[in-house]
Structure formats: structure tokens, C-alpha cells
Amino acid sequence: MDGSMMVLSGEMEFRLIAFDSMGAKSSCTLVKTPDTSILIDPGAAIMQKSFPLQDPEKQFYLQSAIKQIKEEMKKAEHIVLSHYHFDHYMIDEESCEIYLNSDMWIKDPNRWINHSQWERSRDFLQLMSKVNKTDLKHSPPGQKQYKDPVECLPIAFSKYLGNYQERRGELISNWRKRF
């Protein structure tokens, strides 16, 4: 599969720009409609050691992916950063200058985010602020109390799961600690 693969759905076009199966760790997708273009997760990283290519080949595919992504970034009306893993966005001055030419839709840097992504979001926003010559002010991650979603699913959690009942209880308990 190459970056020219398109799936047409009526008036919509979906194109895989860079994806894991294309040699670089990424999931960059372009969506075009008659009205707009949206580039989702414009980033790429080198594949893991276990990926069956030699390092020079991995580097070649990574550089090719980055070049293609930056070309698509220049044309996109909207850019979406779904989260702050380095294979989903690029954090360099050239990329940030390109981002400024599009409407940016970014993951909220304060809610539903772990500490490492919170820090990467701050690095990204600080660089964007520097490139845009603005002064960014931000706050530490906030804490908010949410209603326990398990309580909103009484039918699902009233079901007896036999041998899996105890394991489900452990998973929910661990999840509640993180939540």
C-alpha cells in the first residue's frame, strides 16, 4: 500500500498518508470533502526494532513519510492532533509555522491526559507560541471529580459472568484507581 491509496465514499476521499504498514510508525490520514480538507495526526516516528527492515531502510521510510506529511500539511484547511505521542504530530519550528496556516483541532491539554502527554502538550504549545510570537499562559493539570461511569451501566454490571466475575471486579477496581 502506498500514500496514493484512496477510499471514496460519495463525495468524501480518505487517503492514508503515512501508516505503520507503510514503513514509518504513524497513522496520518487525509480526509477531503467538497468543502474542506482535514489532516489527522500529522506525525511519524521510526519503526520499532522488531519491524522487519534494516535501520537505513527505516530511516528512508521515516524521512519519506515526514516529507509527504509536511506537503499535505501545507494544503490542509484543518489539522487534527488526537493526542501527544510523537508519531501523531511533529514538534519543530518548520512544522509549527505550517500549522499556523490551518485551523488546529488539538487534544485538550488539561483533561483526560496522562502526565507525559500533559508535558508534551506544554512543549508543543510553547513552541507554537514562540513561532506565532504570542505569550502562552498555562496552568497545571486540573483535577475534576466525575461520576463513576460504572454506576451508569446497571444492566451491564448486573450480569453474572461466571469464572470471569472475579477478574472483572479486579479490572474495575484498578480502573477506578486510575480514574
Side-chain angles (χ1 to χ4, degrees), residues 17-18 24 26 44 60-70:
I17 305 302
S26 180
F60 170 79
Y61 283 113
L62 174 61
Q63 293 308 314
S64 297
I66 289 171
K67 180 180 177 186
Q68 182 66 35
I69 290 168
K70 286 187 178 184

Side-chain angles (χ1 to χ4, degrees), residues 7-20:
V7 177
L8 300 175
S9 174
E11 299 280 327
M12 294 182 74
E13 172 188 328
F14 301 85
R15 190 159 32 118
L16 307 179
I17 305 302
F19 250 77
D20 291 1

Side-chain angles (χ1 to χ4, degrees), residues 117-134:
Q117 284 195 54
W118 181 85
E119 286 183 345
R120 288 191 294 266
S121 74
R122 293 311 186 264
D123 292 341
F124 173 73
L125 293 171
Q126 288 290 358
L127 183 57
M128 288 292 290
S129 178
K130 176 184 169 194
V131 168
N132 196 32
K133 297 177 177 57
T134 59

Side-chain angles (χ1 to χ4, degrees), residues 28-111:
C28 182
T29 306
L30 178 67
V31 178
K32 284 187 174 183
T33 71
D35 303 320
T36 195
S37 58
I38 306 165
L39 190 65
I40 303 167
D41 291 337
I46 195 124
M47 288 301 289
Q48 295 91 345
K49 292 182 186 282
S50 62
F51 194 77
L53 287 177
Q54 297 297 315
D55 287 345
E57 292 172 294
K58 289 179 188 177
Q59 195 63 38
F60 170 79
Y61 283 113
L62 174 61
Q63 293 308 314
S64 297
I66 289 171
K67 180 180 177 186
Q68 182 66 35
I69 290 168
K70 286 187 178 184
E71 288 302 313
E72 295 298 339
M73 285 169 60
K74 292 174 185 174
K75 298 182 275 185
E77 287 185 63
H78 303 276
I79 296 177
V80 175
L81 305 184
S82 67
H83 62 286
Y84 300 97
H85 286 166
F86 291 122
D87 58 326
H88 290 264
Y89 73 106
M90 289 187 267
I91 184 168
D92 60 82
E93 286 195 24
E94 178 190 7
S95 295
C96 289
E97 287 174 9
I98 298 170
Y99 289 141
L100 292 173
N101 294 320
S102 301
D103 289 333
M104 294 288 300
W105 300 82
I106 65 172
K107 176 179 174 40
D108 186 325
N110 291 310
R111 291 188 295 169

